[in-house]
Amino acid sequence: MTGFPRERLRVGFVGTGFIAEFHLRAMIGVRNVDVTGVYSRSAANRERICRLAGELGLGPCRSHESLEELVQADDVDAIWILSPNDTRLGVMQVIHGEVTAGRSKVFAVACEKPLARTIGEAREMLRLAEDARLNHGYLENQVFCTPVIRGKEIIWRRAASTTGRPYLARAAEEHSGPHEPWFWQGDRQGGGVLSDMMCHSVEVARHLLTAPDAPRNSLRVKSVNGTVANLKWTRPHYADQLRQRFGNEVDYGNRPSEDFARGNILLEDEEGNELVIEATTSWAYVGAGLRIQLELLGPEYAMEFNSLNTGLKIFMSRAVTGAEGEDLVEKQNAEQGLMPVLDDEAGVYGYTDENRHMVECFRTARRPLENFEDGVAVVEMLMGLYRSAEIGQTVTFPAPELDDYVPLVARPRR
Ligand SMILES: NC(=O)C1=CN([C@@H]2O[C@H](COP(=O)(O)OP(=O)(O)OC[C@H]3O[C@@H](n4cnc5c(N)ncnc54)[C@H](OP(=O)(O)O)[C@@H]3O)[C@@H](O)[C@H]2O)C=CC1
Ligand SMILES: O=C1CO[C@H](CO)[C@@H](O)[C@@H]1O
């Protein structure tokens, strides 16, 4: 490739919501990057992101009235796709169309999790990126969590090298429910909590089990077994609460997606050793806030992490009153009592190192550690888990019947 390395990477955001703001704030910890453009449908949202980019010293950032205009901009090298799951493919088709027609200088694209709602969509995302000769990154932040980077490095260097590889990874992510209505609509989002959050758990677990510097496909999925359930939000009181908060479009009484999921994945390494991933995700967990729990176990060692066991805790008595917020921890459920506080949320959740990695890979024309191929592999595992839950049986891989599979809760409404 010519023209690489670039001195700086100029990024354009598609999407101006919750995750766009997280990425923007995380970019403060990234070198050689500017956020120069943004597109989403509302001008007010775009202005907010441009203003924040300016305040953070990451701009100047220009607001674009159409996706085409953003992709054609002379000062945009790479696009970060940060819009809802049902917009992914449309956004990627526009990027592909503009680049292949020679109207855009964009040479890289990064996309939030999950890469797509089905295997068909995910493979098309990969095909479009490769056909347009774009470098591509899959934004799975948990792989870049600071405790994951440090824990994996120590386990493999000290313990696995002397006593044998890790064989069991447990990953759980739980909170009290998503912040926007589209997450709760199975057809728009692609499913319920299994597609929304188990995408993180299976990939961070697969990453922890993969030897450093070995390709992710050095581990082969042999079979998957999943369970889904509705624990909380289908109860009439809570279904009403959802309707009051989000309007009639979220009808959990009649059209729920799952709020709990469990997945067991059996894998094999290149020497034929069996490995296991145990994943649990839920939107029915009411603790202080979002909780990520990770474990990596091997013959003579164990690693564990719990995102709510923070070093920093703040106690507030019942005399301390004030508005509800998310200023202590993501998806916070209380403002009083002994509360855990993540002093660097963007770092611990992985956004800072994830963005640093993507920017450096794109700037220097290297393939990111997490790319669209990994995004496809994640969707394959998720679809296997959904089908296993639907038929009540373990699904053996390879599973060609999953190619056009759509989870029960994501099938179009009649
Ligand atoms: N890694 C992680 O932990 C997290 C990842 N995510 C992922 O990020 C993505 C976005 O989620 P989140 O930010 O929480 O969602 P939000 O609903 O908060 O924001 C979505 C944004 O997309 C914009 N948007 C909607 N439709 C379009 C469109 N057709 N074209 C361009 N922009 C559009 C909206 O702005 P407007 O109305 O102005 O168009 C809004 O700014 C999802 O894929 C989600 O899975 C989300 C949270 C955490
Ligand atoms: O990890 C996460 C936290 O919650 C969000 C809403 O459910 C998810 O989309 C996200 O992936």
Side-chain angles (χ1 to χ4, degrees), residues 16-19 40-42 45 84-85 88 112-113 141 179-180 182 351:
T16 52
F18 178 87
I19 201 65
S40 78
R41 297 159 308 170
S42 139
N45 284 342
N85 304 1
R88 291 267 193 287
E112 256 303 332
K113 49 57 55 176
N141 57 291
H179 49 283
E180 290 291 336
W182 66 266
Y351 298 116

mmCIF file with all atom_site columns, all heavy atoms in Angstrom, residues 16-19 40-42 45 84-85 88 112-113 141 179-180 182 351, ligand 1:
data_model
loop_
_atom_site.group_PDB
_atom_site.id
_atom_site.type_symbol
_atom_site.label_atom_id
_atom_site.label_alt_id
_atom_site.label_comp_id
_atom_site.label_asym_id
_atom_site.label_entity_id
_atom_site.label_seq_id
_atom_site.pdbx_PDB_ins_code
_atom_site.Cartn_x
_atom_site.Cartn_y
_atom_site.Cartn_z
_atom_site.occupancy
_atom_site.B_iso_or_equiv
_atom_site.pdbx_formal_charge
_atom_site.auth_seq_id
_atom_site.auth_comp_id
_atom_site.auth_asym_id
_atom_site.auth_atom_id
_atom_site.pdbx_PDB_model_num
ATOM   1   N N   . THR A 1 16  ? -24.428 9.293  17.037 1.00 0.00 ? 16  THR A N   1
ATOM   2   C CA  . THR A 1 16  ? -24.130 10.374 17.991 1.00 0.00 ? 16  THR A CA  1
ATOM   3   C C   . THR A 1 16  ? -24.728 10.060 19.360 1.00 0.00 ? 16  THR A C   1
ATOM   4   O O   . THR A 1 16  ? -25.050 10.966 20.126 1.00 0.00 ? 16  THR A O   1
ATOM   5   C CB  . THR A 1 16  ? -24.759 11.688 17.479 1.00 0.00 ? 16  THR A CB  1
ATOM   6   O OG1 . THR A 1 16  ? -26.154 11.422 17.196 1.00 0.00 ? 16  THR A OG1 1
ATOM   7   C CG2 . THR A 1 16  ? -24.088 12.207 16.236 1.00 0.00 ? 16  THR A CG2 1
ATOM   8   N N   . GLY A 1 17  ? -24.919 8.766  19.656 1.00 0.00 ? 17  GLY A N   1
ATOM   9   C CA  . GLY A 1 17  ? -25.608 8.381  20.889 1.00 0.00 ? 17  GLY A CA  1
ATOM   10  C C   . GLY A 1 17  ? -24.632 8.019  21.999 1.00 0.00 ? 17  GLY A C   1
ATOM   11  O O   . GLY A 1 17  ? -23.506 8.530  22.088 1.00 0.00 ? 17  GLY A O   1
ATOM   12  N N   . PHE A 1 18  ? -25.084 7.084  22.828 1.00 0.00 ? 18  PHE A N   1
ATOM   13  C CA  . PHE A 1 18  ? -24.361 6.670  24.032 1.00 0.00 ? 18  PHE A CA  1
ATOM   14  C C   . PHE A 1 18  ? -22.920 6.261  23.714 1.00 0.00 ? 18  PHE A C   1
ATOM   15  O O   . PHE A 1 18  ? -21.959 6.747  24.313 1.00 0.00 ? 18  PHE A O   1
ATOM   16  C CB  . PHE A 1 18  ? -25.134 5.508  24.667 1.00 0.00 ? 18  PHE A CB  1
ATOM   17  C CG  . PHE A 1 18  ? -24.497 4.928  25.880 1.00 0.00 ? 18  PHE A CG  1
ATOM   18  C CD1 . PHE A 1 18  ? -24.746 5.466  27.133 1.00 0.00 ? 18  PHE A CD1 1
ATOM   19  C CD2 . PHE A 1 18  ? -23.648 3.835  25.781 1.00 0.00 ? 18  PHE A CD2 1
ATOM   20  C CE1 . PHE A 1 18  ? -24.148 4.935  28.267 1.00 0.00 ? 18  PHE A CE1 1
ATOM   21  C CE2 . PHE A 1 18  ? -23.046 3.298  26.905 1.00 0.00 ? 18  PHE A CE2 1
ATOM   22  C CZ  . PHE A 1 18  ? -23.295 3.849  28.149 1.00 0.00 ? 18  PHE A CZ  1
ATOM   23  N N   . ILE A 1 19  ? -22.762 5.371  22.740 1.00 0.00 ? 19  ILE A N   1
ATOM   24  C CA  . ILE A 1 19  ? -21.419 4.816  22.507 1.00 0.00 ? 19  ILE A CA  1
ATOM   25  C C   . ILE A 1 19  ? -20.528 5.817  21.767 1.00 0.00 ? 19  ILE A C   1
ATOM   26  O O   . ILE A 1 19  ? -19.310 5.819  21.945 1.00 0.00 ? 19  ILE A O   1
ATOM   27  C CB  . ILE A 1 19  ? -21.488 3.447  21.770 1.00 0.00 ? 19  ILE A CB  1
ATOM   28  C CG1 . ILE A 1 19  ? -20.194 2.666  21.985 1.00 0.00 ? 19  ILE A CG1 1
ATOM   29  C CG2 . ILE A 1 19  ? -21.772 3.599  20.290 1.00 0.00 ? 19  ILE A CG2 1
ATOM   30  C CD1 . ILE A 1 19  ? -19.945 2.260  23.396 1.00 0.00 ? 19  ILE A CD1 1
ATOM   31  N N   . SER A 1 40  ? -25.374 11.834 11.856 1.00 0.00 ? 40  SER A N   1
ATOM   32  C CA  . SER A 1 40  ? -26.553 11.075 12.281 1.00 0.00 ? 40  SER A CA  1
ATOM   33  C C   . SER A 1 40  ? -27.726 11.932 11.825 1.00 0.00 ? 40  SER A C   1
ATOM   34  O O   . SER A 1 40  ? -27.522 13.036 11.310 1.00 0.00 ? 40  SER A O   1
ATOM   35  C CB  . SER A 1 40  ? -26.564 10.823 13.790 1.00 0.00 ? 40  SER A CB  1
ATOM   36  O OG  . SER A 1 40  ? -26.978 11.966 14.494 1.00 0.00 ? 40  SER A OG  1
ATOM   37  N N   . ARG A 1 41  ? -28.952 11.452 12.011 1.00 0.00 ? 41  ARG A N   1
ATOM   38  C CA  . ARG A 1 41  ? -30.076 12.134 11.366 1.00 0.00 ? 41  ARG A CA  1
ATOM   39  C C   . ARG A 1 41  ? -30.382 13.498 11.979 1.00 0.00 ? 41  ARG A C   1
ATOM   40  O O   . ARG A 1 41  ? -30.789 14.416 11.288 1.00 0.00 ? 41  ARG A O   1
ATOM   41  C CB  . ARG A 1 41  ? -31.324 11.236 11.413 1.00 0.00 ? 41  ARG A CB  1
ATOM   42  C CG  . ARG A 1 41  ? -31.142 9.925  10.636 1.00 0.00 ? 41  ARG A CG  1
ATOM   43  C CD  . ARG A 1 41  ? -32.119 8.888  11.115 1.00 0.00 ? 41  ARG A CD  1
ATOM   44  N NE  . ARG A 1 41  ? -32.066 8.745  12.570 1.00 0.00 ? 41  ARG A NE  1
ATOM   45  C CZ  . ARG A 1 41  ? -32.922 8.049  13.297 1.00 0.00 ? 41  ARG A CZ  1
ATOM   46  N NH1 . ARG A 1 41  ? -33.924 7.423  12.701 1.00 0.00 ? 41  ARG A NH1 1
ATOM   47  N NH2 . ARG A 1 41  ? -32.799 7.969  14.611 1.00 0.00 ? 41  ARG A NH2 1
ATOM   48  N N   . SER A 1 42  ? -30.158 13.647 13.280 1.00 0.00 ? 42  SER A N   1
ATOM   49  C CA  . SER A 1 42  ? -30.556 14.900 13.927 1.00 0.00 ? 42  SER A CA  1
ATOM   50  C C   . SER A 1 42  ? -29.395 15.898 13.989 1.00 0.00 ? 42  SER A C   1
ATOM   51  O O   . SER A 1 42  ? -28.293 15.577 14.464 1.00 0.00 ? 42  SER A O   1
ATOM   52  C CB  . SER A 1 42  ? -31.075 14.574 15.340 1.00 0.00 ? 42  SER A CB  1
ATOM   53  O OG  . SER A 1 42  ? -30.615 15.514 16.272 1.00 0.00 ? 42  SER A OG  1
ATOM   54  N N   . ASN A 1 45  ? -28.074 16.538 17.506 1.00 0.00 ? 45  ASN A N   1
ATOM   55  C CA  . ASN A 1 45  ? -27.141 15.502 17.988 1.00 0.00 ? 45  ASN A CA  1
ATOM   56  C C   . ASN A 1 45  ? -25.750 15.701 17.389 1.00 0.00 ? 45  ASN A C   1
ATOM   57  O O   . ASN A 1 45  ? -24.730 15.577 18.069 1.00 0.00 ? 45  ASN A O   1
ATOM   58  C CB  . ASN A 1 45  ? -27.650 14.106 17.598 1.00 0.00 ? 45  ASN A CB  1
ATOM   59  C CG  . ASN A 1 45  ? -28.795 13.649 18.484 1.00 0.00 ? 45  ASN A CG  1
ATOM   60  O OD1 . ASN A 1 45  ? -28.994 14.194 19.569 1.00 0.00 ? 45  ASN A OD1 1
ATOM   61  N ND2 . ASN A 1 45  ? -29.548 12.661 18.029 1.00 0.00 ? 45  ASN A ND2 1
ATOM   62  N N   . PRO A 1 84  ? -27.418 2.186  15.412 1.00 0.00 ? 84  PRO A N   1
ATOM   63  C CA  . PRO A 1 84  ? -28.078 0.942  15.836 1.00 0.00 ? 84  PRO A CA  1
ATOM   64  C C   . PRO A 1 84  ? -27.884 -0.230 14.873 1.00 0.00 ? 84  PRO A C   1
ATOM   65  O O   . PRO A 1 84  ? -27.606 -0.052 13.679 1.00 0.00 ? 84  PRO A O   1
ATOM   66  C CB  . PRO A 1 84  ? -29.557 1.353  15.911 1.00 0.00 ? 84  PRO A CB  1
ATOM   67  C CG  . PRO A 1 84  ? -29.520 2.828  16.179 1.00 0.00 ? 84  PRO A CG  1
ATOM   68  C CD  . PRO A 1 84  ? -28.339 3.341  15.412 1.00 0.00 ? 84  PRO A CD  1
ATOM   69  N N   . ASN A 1 85  ? -28.083 -1.443 15.411 1.00 0.00 ? 85  ASN A N   1
ATOM   70  C CA  . ASN A 1 85  ? -27.773 -2.674 14.677 1.00 0.00 ? 85  ASN A CA  1
ATOM   71  C C   . ASN A 1 85  ? -28.518 -2.791 13.334 1.00 0.00 ? 85  ASN A C   1
ATOM   72  O O   . ASN A 1 85  ? -27.984 -3.338 12.375 1.00 0.00 ? 85  ASN A O   1
ATOM   73  C CB  . ASN A 1 85  ? -28.099 -3.893 15.543 1.00 0.00 ? 85  ASN A CB  1
ATOM   74  C CG  . ASN A 1 85  ? -27.376 -3.873 16.874 1.00 0.00 ? 85  ASN A CG  1
ATOM   75  O OD1 . ASN A 1 85  ? -26.643 -2.934 17.173 1.00 0.00 ? 85  ASN A OD1 1
ATOM   76  N ND2 . ASN A 1 85  ? -27.566 -4.900 17.683 1.00 0.00 ? 85  ASN A ND2 1
ATOM   77  N N   . ARG A 1 88  ? -26.654 -0.944 10.341 1.00 0.00 ? 88  ARG A N   1
ATOM   78  C CA  . ARG A 1 88  ? -25.286 -1.343 9.990  1.00 0.00 ? 88  ARG A CA  1
ATOM   79  C C   . ARG A 1 88  ? -25.053 -1.548 8.495  1.00 0.00 ? 88  ARG A C   1
ATOM   80  O O   . ARG A 1 88  ? -24.185 -0.960 7.899  1.00 0.00 ? 88  ARG A O   1
ATOM   81  C CB  . ARG A 1 88  ? -24.970 -2.726 10.576 1.00 0.00 ? 88  ARG A CB  1
ATOM   82  C CG  . ARG A 1 88  ? -24.845 -2.820 12.001 1.00 0.00 ? 88  ARG A CG  1
ATOM   83  C CD  . ARG A 1 88  ? -23.377 -2.646 12.326 1.00 0.00 ? 88  ARG A CD  1
ATOM   84  N NE  . ARG A 1 88  ? -23.157 -3.026 13.688 1.00 0.00 ? 88  ARG A NE  1
ATOM   85  C CZ  . ARG A 1 88  ? -23.533 -2.297 14.717 1.00 0.00 ? 88  ARG A CZ  1
ATOM   86  N NH1 . ARG A 1 88  ? -24.133 -1.140 14.522 1.00 0.00 ? 88  ARG A NH1 1
ATOM   87  N NH2 . ARG A 1 88  ? -23.295 -2.716 15.943 1.00 0.00 ? 88  ARG A NH2 1
ATOM   88  N N   . GLU A 1 112 ? -19.026 -1.133 15.592 1.00 0.00 ? 112 GLU A N   1
ATOM   89  C CA  . GLU A 1 112 ? -19.403 -1.571 16.940 1.00 0.00 ? 112 GLU A CA  1
ATOM   90  C C   . GLU A 1 112 ? -19.981 -2.987 16.910 1.00 0.00 ? 112 GLU A C   1
ATOM   91  O O   . GLU A 1 112 ? -20.419 -3.492 15.886 1.00 0.00 ? 112 GLU A O   1
ATOM   92  C CB  . GLU A 1 112 ? -20.444 -0.608 17.540 1.00 0.00 ? 112 GLU A CB  1
ATOM   93  C CG  . GLU A 1 112 ? -19.895 0.353  18.570 1.00 0.00 ? 112 GLU A CG  1
ATOM   94  C CD  . GLU A 1 112 ? -19.198 -0.310 19.758 1.00 0.00 ? 112 GLU A CD  1
ATOM   95  O OE1 . GLU A 1 112 ? -19.543 -1.450 20.118 1.00 0.00 ? 112 GLU A OE1 1
ATOM   96  O OE2 . GLU A 1 112 ? -18.305 0.323  20.339 1.00 0.00 ? 112 GLU A OE2 1
ATOM   97  N N   . LYS A 1 113 ? -20.032 -3.600 18.069 1.00 0.00 ? 113 LYS A N   1
ATOM   98  C CA  . LYS A 1 113 ? -20.599 -4.938 18.258 1.00 0.00 ? 113 LYS A CA  1
ATOM   99  C C   . LYS A 1 113 ? -22.119 -4.863 18.228 1.00 0.00 ? 113 LYS A C   1
ATOM   100 O O   . LYS A 1 113 ? -22.658 -3.807 18.561 1.00 0.00 ? 113 LYS A O   1
ATOM   101 C CB  . LYS A 1 113 ? -20.127 -5.551 19.572 1.00 0.00 ? 113 LYS A CB  1
ATOM   102 C CG  . LYS A 1 113 ? -20.249 -4.695 20.826 1.00 0.00 ? 113 LYS A CG  1
ATOM   103 C CD  . LYS A 1 113 ? -21.547 -4.109 21.313 1.00 0.00 ? 113 LYS A CD  1
ATOM   104 C CE  . LYS A 1 113 ? -22.707 -4.997 21.544 1.00 0.00 ? 113 LYS A CE  1
ATOM   105 N NZ  . LYS A 1 113 ? -23.881 -4.263 22.125 1.00 0.00 ? 113 LYS A NZ  1
ATOM   106 N N   . ASN A 1 141 ? -14.828 -4.058 22.742 1.00 0.00 ? 141 ASN A N   1
ATOM   107 C CA  . ASN A 1 141 ? -14.015 -3.376 23.748 1.00 0.00 ? 141 ASN A CA  1
ATOM   108 C C   . ASN A 1 141 ? -13.472 -4.301 24.841 1.00 0.00 ? 141 ASN A C   1
ATOM   109 O O   . ASN A 1 141 ? -12.395 -4.060 25.390 1.00 0.00 ? 141 ASN A O   1
ATOM   110 C CB  . ASN A 1 141 ? -14.798 -2.228 24.390 1.00 0.00 ? 141 ASN A CB  1
ATOM   111 C CG  . ASN A 1 141 ? -16.106 -2.694 25.009 1.00 0.00 ? 141 ASN A CG  1
ATOM   112 O OD1 . ASN A 1 141 ? -17.021 -3.070 24.276 1.00 0.00 ? 141 ASN A OD1 1
ATOM   113 N ND2 . ASN A 1 141 ? -16.209 -2.690 26.317 1.00 0.00 ? 141 ASN A ND2 1
ATOM   114 N N   . HIS A 1 179 ? -30.696 1.297  27.538 1.00 0.00 ? 179 HIS A N   1
ATOM   115 C CA  . HIS A 1 179 ? -31.084 2.700  27.681 1.00 0.00 ? 179 HIS A CA  1
ATOM   116 C C   . HIS A 1 179 ? -31.979 3.239  26.581 1.00 0.00 ? 179 HIS A C   1
ATOM   117 O O   . HIS A 1 179 ? -32.496 4.331  26.698 1.00 0.00 ? 179 HIS A O   1
ATOM   118 C CB  . HIS A 1 179 ? -29.804 3.543  27.770 1.00 0.00 ? 179 HIS A CB  1
ATOM   119 C CG  . HIS A 1 179 ? -28.809 3.201  26.687 1.00 0.00 ? 179 HIS A CG  1
ATOM   120 N ND1 . HIS A 1 179 ? -28.017 2.072  26.753 1.00 0.00 ? 179 HIS A ND1 1
ATOM   121 C CD2 . HIS A 1 179 ? -28.499 3.808  25.516 1.00 0.00 ? 179 HIS A CD2 1
ATOM   122 C CE1 . HIS A 1 179 ? -27.251 2.019  25.670 1.00 0.00 ? 179 HIS A CE1 1
ATOM   123 N NE2 . HIS A 1 179 ? -27.531 3.058  24.907 1.00 0.00 ? 179 HIS A NE2 1
ATOM   124 N N   . GLU A 1 180 ? -32.132 2.535  25.444 1.00 0.00 ? 180 GLU A N   1
ATOM   125 C CA  . GLU A 1 180 ? -32.931 3.060  24.324 1.00 0.00 ? 180 GLU A CA  1
ATOM   126 C C   . GLU A 1 180 ? -33.910 1.979  23.848 1.00 0.00 ? 180 GLU A C   1
ATOM   127 O O   . GLU A 1 180 ? -33.615 0.788  23.925 1.00 0.00 ? 180 GLU A O   1
ATOM   128 C CB  . GLU A 1 180 ? -32.029 3.465  23.146 1.00 0.00 ? 180 GLU A CB  1
ATOM   129 C CG  . GLU A 1 180 ? -31.175 4.701  23.391 1.00 0.00 ? 180 GLU A CG  1
ATOM   130 C CD  . GLU A 1 180 ? -31.972 6.000  23.485 1.00 0.00 ? 180 GLU A CD  1
ATOM   131 O OE1 . GLU A 1 180 ? -33.099 6.054  22.923 1.00 0.00 ? 180 GLU A OE1 1
ATOM   132 O OE2 . GLU A 1 180 ? -31.480 6.943  24.119 1.00 0.00 ? 180 GLU A OE2 1
ATOM   133 N N   . TRP A 1 182 ? -34.855 0.756  20.957 1.00 0.00 ? 182 TRP A N   1
ATOM   134 C CA  . TRP A 1 182 ? -34.563 -0.197 19.872 1.00 0.00 ? 182 TRP A CA  1
ATOM   135 C C   . TRP A 1 182 ? -33.859 -1.455 20.375 1.00 0.00 ? 182 TRP A C   1
ATOM   136 O O   . TRP A 1 182 ? -33.977 -2.524 19.774 1.00 0.00 ? 182 TRP A O   1
ATOM   137 C CB  . TRP A 1 182 ? -33.763 0.476  18.738 1.00 0.00 ? 182 TRP A CB  1
ATOM   138 C CG  . TRP A 1 182 ? -32.380 0.928  19.103 1.00 0.00 ? 182 TRP A CG  1
ATOM   139 C CD1 . TRP A 1 182 ? -31.994 2.151  19.533 1.00 0.00 ? 182 TRP A CD1 1
ATOM   140 C CD2 . TRP A 1 182 ? -31.176 0.128  19.066 1.00 0.00 ? 182 TRP A CD2 1
ATOM   141 N NE1 . TRP A 1 182 ? -30.639 2.179  19.776 1.00 0.00 ? 182 TRP A NE1 1
ATOM   142 C CE2 . TRP A 1 182 ? -30.115 0.953  19.492 1.00 0.00 ? 182 TRP A CE2 1
ATOM   143 C CE3 . TRP A 1 182 ? -30.896 -1.191 18.709 1.00 0.00 ? 182 TRP A CE3 1
ATOM   144 C CZ2 . TRP A 1 182 ? -28.799 0.502  19.573 1.00 0.00 ? 182 TRP A CZ2 1
ATOM   145 C CZ3 . TRP A 1 182 ? -29.584 -1.641 18.797 1.00 0.00 ? 182 TRP A CZ3 1
ATOM   146 C CH2 . TRP A 1 182 ? -28.563 -0.803 19.220 1.00 0.00 ? 182 TRP A CH2 1
ATOM   147 N N   . TYR A 1 351 ? -12.248 0.936  26.058 1.00 0.00 ? 351 TYR A N   1
ATOM   148 C CA  . TYR A 1 351 ? -12.417 1.843  24.903 1.00 0.00 ? 351 TYR A CA  1
ATOM   149 C C   . TYR A 1 351 ? -11.122 2.570  24.534 1.00 0.00 ? 351 TYR A C   1
ATOM   150 O O   . TYR A 1 351 ? -10.846 2.802  23.362 1.00 0.00 ? 351 TYR A O   1
ATOM   151 C CB  . TYR A 1 351 ? -13.514 2.871  25.175 1.00 0.00 ? 351 TYR A CB  1
ATOM   152 C CG  . TYR A 1 351 ? -14.865 2.232  25.381 1.00 0.00 ? 351 TYR A CG  1
ATOM   153 C CD1 . TYR A 1 351 ? -15.531 2.328  26.589 1.00 0.00 ? 351 TYR A CD1 1
ATOM   154 C CD2 . TYR A 1 351 ? -15.470 1.502  24.359 1.00 0.00 ? 351 TYR A CD2 1
ATOM   155 C CE1 . TYR A 1 351 ? -16.761 1.720  26.789 1.00 0.00 ? 351 TYR A CE1 1
ATOM   156 C CE2 . TYR A 1 351 ? -16.688 0.890  24.547 1.00 0.00 ? 351 TYR A CE2 1
ATOM   157 C CZ  . TYR A 1 351 ? -17.328 1.003  25.765 1.00 0.00 ? 351 TYR A CZ  1
ATOM   158 O OH  . TYR A 1 351 ? -18.536 0.390  25.957 1.00 0.00 ? 351 TYR A OH  1
HETATM 159 N N1  . LIG B 2 .   ? -19.274 -1.662 23.278 1.00 0.00 ? 1   LIG B N1  1
HETATM 160 C C1  . LIG B 2 .   ? -20.264 -1.434 24.104 1.00 0.00 ? 1   LIG B C1  1
HETATM 161 O O1  . LIG B 2 .   ? -20.201 -1.758 25.277 1.00 0.00 ? 1   LIG B O1  1
HETATM 162 C C2  . LIG B 2 .   ? -21.473 -0.756 23.596 1.00 0.00 ? 1   LIG B C2  1
HETATM 163 C C3  . LIG B 2 .   ? -21.803 -0.868 22.277 1.00 0.00 ? 1   LIG B C3  1
HETATM 164 N N2  . LIG B 2 .   ? -22.954 -0.324 21.797 1.00 0.00 ? 1   LIG B N2  1
HETATM 165 C C4  . LIG B 2 .   ? -23.270 -0.511 20.377 1.00 0.00 ? 1   LIG B C4  1
HETATM 166 O O2  . LIG B 2 .   ? -23.185 0.754  19.721 1.00 0.00 ? 1   LIG B O2  1
HETATM 167 C C5  . LIG B 2 .   ? -24.210 0.906  18.775 1.00 0.00 ? 1   LIG B C5  1
HETATM 168 C C6  . LIG B 2 .   ? -25.019 2.160  19.107 1.00 0.00 ? 1   LIG B C6  1
HETATM 169 O O3  . LIG B 2 .   ? -25.546 2.042  20.401 1.00 0.00 ? 1   LIG B O3  1
HETATM 170 P P1  . LIG B 2 .   ? -25.873 3.324  21.318 1.00 0.00 ? 1   LIG B P1  1
HETATM 171 O O4  . LIG B 2 .   ? -24.956 4.428  21.028 1.00 0.00 ? 1   LIG B O4  1
HETATM 172 O O5  . LIG B 2 .   ? -25.991 2.838  22.691 1.00 0.00 ? 1   LIG B O5  1
HETATM 173 O O6  . LIG B 2 .   ? -27.310 3.659  20.758 1.00 0.00 ? 1   LIG B O6  1
HETATM 174 P P2  . LIG B 2 .   ? -28.094 5.015  20.896 1.00 0.00 ? 1   LIG B P2  1
HETATM 175 O O7  . LIG B 2 .   ? -29.504 4.698  20.613 1.00 0.00 ? 1   LIG B O7  1
HETATM 176 O O8  . LIG B 2 .   ? -27.713 5.708  22.150 1.00 0.00 ? 1   LIG B O8  1
HETATM 177 O O9  . LIG B 2 .   ? -27.516 5.899  19.714 1.00 0.00 ? 1   LIG B O9  1
HETATM 178 C C7  . LIG B 2 .   ? -27.720 5.549  18.382 1.00 0.00 ? 1   LIG B C7  1
HETATM 179 C C8  . LIG B 2 .   ? -27.248 6.695  17.504 1.00 0.00 ? 1   LIG B C8  1
HETATM 180 O O10 . LIG B 2 .   ? -27.371 6.356  16.148 1.00 0.00 ? 1   LIG B O10 1
HETATM 181 C C9  . LIG B 2 .   ? -27.965 7.454  15.426 1.00 0.00 ? 1   LIG B C9  1
HETATM 182 N N3  . LIG B 2 .   ? -28.701 6.882  14.304 1.00 0.00 ? 1   LIG B N3  1
HETATM 183 C C10 . LIG B 2 .   ? -29.899 6.241  14.298 1.00 0.00 ? 1   LIG B C10 1
HETATM 184 N N4  . LIG B 2 .   ? -30.212 5.846  13.059 1.00 0.00 ? 1   LIG B N4  1
HETATM 185 C C11 . LIG B 2 .   ? -29.194 6.251  12.258 1.00 0.00 ? 1   LIG B C11 1
HETATM 186 C C12 . LIG B 2 .   ? -28.937 6.134  10.865 1.00 0.00 ? 1   LIG B C12 1
HETATM 187 N N5  . LIG B 2 .   ? -29.794 5.535  10.043 1.00 0.00 ? 1   LIG B N5  1
HETATM 188 N N6  . LIG B 2 .   ? -27.779 6.651  10.384 1.00 0.00 ? 1   LIG B N6  1
HETATM 189 C C13 . LIG B 2 .   ? -26.908 7.274  11.210 1.00 0.00 ? 1   LIG B C13 1
HETATM 190 N N7  . LIG B 2 .   ? -27.096 7.423  12.533 1.00 0.00 ? 1   LIG B N7  1
HETATM 191 C C14 . LIG B 2 .   ? -28.234 6.907  13.046 1.00 0.00 ? 1   LIG B C14 1
HETATM 192 C C15 . LIG B 2 .   ? -28.824 8.185  16.439 1.00 0.00 ? 1   LIG B C15 1
HETATM 193 O O11 . LIG B 2 .   ? -28.869 9.584  16.214 1.00 0.00 ? 1   LIG B O11 1
HETATM 194 P P3  . LIG B 2 .   ? -29.990 10.292 15.307 1.00 0.00 ? 1   LIG B P3  1
HETATM 195 O O12 . LIG B 2 .   ? -31.304 10.056 15.985 1.00 0.00 ? 1   LIG B O12 1
HETATM 196 O O13 . LIG B 2 .   ? -29.551 11.718 15.298 1.00 0.00 ? 1   LIG B O13 1
HETATM 197 O O14 . LIG B 2 .   ? -29.911 9.642  13.958 1.00 0.00 ? 1   LIG B O14 1
HETATM 198 C C16 . LIG B 2 .   ? -28.022 7.974  17.722 1.00 0.00 ? 1   LIG B C16 1
HETATM 199 O O15 . LIG B 2 .   ? -27.079 8.981  17.858 1.00 0.00 ? 1   LIG B O15 1
HETATM 200 C C17 . LIG B 2 .   ? -25.025 -0.379 18.836 1.00 0.00 ? 1   LIG B C17 1
HETATM 201 O O16 . LIG B 2 .   ? -24.607 -1.223 17.824 1.00 0.00 ? 1   LIG B O16 1
HETATM 202 C C18 . LIG B 2 .   ? -24.689 -0.998 20.177 1.00 0.00 ? 1   LIG B C18 1
HETATM 203 O O17 . LIG B 2 .   ? -24.751 -2.402 20.144 1.00 0.00 ? 1   LIG B O17 1
HETATM 204 C C19 . LIG B 2 .   ? -23.777 0.397  22.611 1.00 0.00 ? 1   LIG B C19 1
HETATM 205 C C20 . LIG B 2 .   ? -23.487 0.561  23.939 1.00 0.00 ? 1   LIG B C20 1
HETATM 206 C C21 . LIG B 2 .   ? -22.287 0.012  24.543 1.00 0.00 ? 1   LIG B C21 1
#
